[in-house]
Amino acid sequence: MERKKVRVGITQGDINGIGYEVILKIFEDPAMLELCTPIVYGSPKVMTYHRKAIDSTATFSIVGSAEEAFEGRLNVLNCNDEEVKVELGKPTQESGKAAFEALEKALADYKEGLIDVLVTAPIHKKMIQSEEFIFPGHTEYIEQRLGDGSKALMILANQGLRVALVTGHLPLNKVASSVTSETLEEKIKLFNHSLKVDFGIGAPRIAVLSLNPHAGDGGVIGQEEESVIIPTVKAMRSQGVLCYGPFPADGFMGSGNYTHFDGILAMYHDQGLIPFKVLAMNDGVNFTAGLPLVRTSPDHGTAFDIAGKNEASPDSMRNAIYMAIDIYRNRINQVEASRNPLRKLYFERHDDSDKLKLDGE
């Protein structure tokens, strides 16, 4: 029997942070269970610990595998063979190991077709490091595990703002040398494709930010704009991509100029994320574009300082679930539309011509 609801895999993240708290708060609302079948990859005992800590009313079912997940219930799948010690507000090697085990199990189940999308709770990037995980974050690890040669693109998004990054989790002293014509072209193409397919925007307009202050001031403050960014933007526009810039980054958001574009491409992490989080901290979502897997996460971290205090807002995590479901459906719709565009045209325009009727049969 075909599943009617999207199966959302949710990894527990760092067990000493706010991951479980926001998950529990989200699924206290039974309406969420009408949208999807959630499967938390983690530990039923840790879930119970956090539920008691915040006095949550959420209930859940323990399942032995994703195949056993119940529709209309919050499901928890145990991924940790050993007893896991919870130390709220404190990053530990044990909590990092537990986060990695949950992520690995979720990715394995995705490859088996047991979940449709993945939503990841925040991890502590140092404590999760091991011989198996030597990456700066989820994005890079998932690209290596599931990309099969495809490149990932980090996009921060909410209802009205989408910010993508040319360079992601990279030390600042390595950014300039990493902004090459090849990399910039690749990211612009990925962003353009994602805006069309994942977000359903027919002809997206992309603003490209500068690397240097004042867009280099004609080469006075850096050469990257003249040598790399401007030529690449022109080349992309000649290929039909509606990208413009480079725009000086310091006033672009504050002036409201971003509202004229469907997406903004920043050169490096903080250039894009600082203004994004100022404008969209409570409802922003981190989406990994460019890969077969639809993966989202909240735009906040582990928030150890408020873990277990019942102070964490679930809004960003809730929006991450909404966005994963929307993008998954958008991709399905795109595939179906491309299979038989004439049939789609017939239904959209209610055309009763004999030709379209025959082509649609």
Side-chain angles (χ1 to χ4, degrees):
M1 182 180 296
E2 185 180 353
R3 297 195 303 262
K4 295 181 179 180
K5 294 180 182 178
V6 177
R7 286 198 164 197
V8 180
I10 305 172
T11 57
Q12 65 183 350
D14 195 291
I15 61 174
N16 296 329
I18 63 169
Y20 274 108
E21 178 176 332
V22 296
I23 292 169
L24 286 163
K25 286 180 175 178
I26 289 166
F27 290 102
E28 286 177 347
D29 179 5
M32 289 296 297
L33 298 172
E34 297 176 8
L35 297 176
C36 64
T37 300
I39 305 165
V40 177
Y41 288 79
S43 163
K45 290 184 178 180
V46 175
M47 173 79 89
T48 300
Y49 183 97
H50 281 268
R51 185 174 62 177
K52 291 180 180 179
I54 64 170
D55 195 25
S56 172
T57 60
T59 60
F60 60 88
S61 297
I62 301 172
V63 294
S65 71
E67 292 175 298
E68 299 174 5
F70 300 95
E71 287 199 356
R73 297 281 294 172
L74 174 62
N75 301 277
V76 182
L77 174 59
N78 188 35
C79 301
N80 308 124
D81 295 332
E82 303 173 0
E83 290 287 334
V84 182
K85 183 179 180 181
V86 179
E87 298 181 68
L88 289 175
K90 180 182 178 182
T92 64
Q93 295 290 339
E94 193 172 3
S95 68
K97 180 174 181 288
F100 175 71
E101 289 171 345
L103 177 62
E104 274 290 272
K105 177 59 177 172
L107 294 181
D109 279 1
Y110 168 76
K111 293 179 75 173
E112 293 296 321
L114 300 180
I115 59 174
D116 300 311
V117 301
L118 179 65
V119 179
T120 57
I123 58 173
H124 188 278
K125 291 181 175 59
K126 181 177 180 180
M127 291 306 170
I128 201 174
Q129 298 297 316
S130 65
E131 291 183 1
E132 294 86 8
F133 193 104
I134 51 173
F135 301 85
H138 276 115
T139 303
E140 295 82 3
Y141 182 69
I142 294 173
E143 177 187 270
Q144 187 269 340
R145 288 280 277 108
L146 299 180
D148 194 24
S150 299
K151 295 295 183 180
L153 177 69
M154 184 186 297
I155 300 177
L156 279 294
N158 69 356
Q159 286 295 326
L161 179 60
R162 303 167 199 89
V163 178
L165 306 177
V166 175
T167 61
H169 297 119
L170 194 68
L172 197 56
N173 63 3
K174 297 182 180 180
V175 168
S177 61
S178 300
V179 179
T180 64
S181 299
E182 293 77 16
T183 299
L184 184 55
E185 179 177 330
E186 175 187 88
K187 299 299 183 181
I188 291 174
K189 288 180 176 179
L190 280 172
F191 198 15
N192 185 60
H193 179 77
S194 181
L195 290 170
K196 288 181 177 180
V197 174
D198 298 327
F199 294 94
I201 302 170
R205 291 168 52 86
I206 299 172
V208 179
L209 300 185
S210 63
L211 173 66
N212 296 298
H214 308 294
D217 264 345
V220 176
I221 314 176
Q223 299 293 322
E224 287 81 6
E225 283 73 23
E226 300 294 323
S227 62
V228 175
I229 302 176
I230 292 174
T232 304
V233 168
K234 288 182 177 178
M236 290 293 93
R237 207 156 57 236
S238 70
Q239 296 180 33
V241 179
L242 303 179
C243 61
Y244 306 89
F247 296 95
D250 58 345
F252 187 80
M253 297 295 207
S255 67
N257 202 11
Y258 72 92
T259 61
H260 302 300
F261 296 90
D262 300 297
I264 295 93
L265 184 64
M267 292 297 119
Y268 56 93
H269 187 277
D270 284 9
Q271 185 189 63
L273 266 63
I274 289 174
F276 177 85
K277 290 187 177 184
V278 168
L279 294 168
M281 186 64 196
N282 290 329
D283 63 352
V285 175
N286 180 359
F287 165 52
T288 303
L291 302 180
L293 168 67
V294 175
R295 175 257 168 171
T296 63
S297 68
D299 71 349
H300 57 71
T302 52
F304 289 124
D305 57 321
I306 61 171
K309 297 180 180 179
N310 202 15
E311 297 177 4
S313 169
D315 292 347
S316 182
M317 189 69 163
R318 183 186 295 109
N319 285 336
I321 295 171
Y322 288 157
M323 187 174 292
I325 294 170
D326 287 344
I327 291 173
Y328 177 76
R329 288 174 174 165
N330 285 343
R331 289 187 178 183
I332 290 175
N333 291 338
Q334 179 76 13
V335 170
E336 291 178 348
S338 63
R339 281 199 188 115
N340 196 336
L342 286 178
R343 183 174 178 81
K344 177 174 182 290
L345 183 67
Y346 167 65
F347 282 111
E348 286 182 348
R349 298 187 180 181
H350 305 287
D351 193 314
D352 59 355
S353 71
D354 291 337
K355 182 179 186 304
L356 283 178
K357 284 182 179 178
L358 288 171
D359 287 342
E361 291 177 352

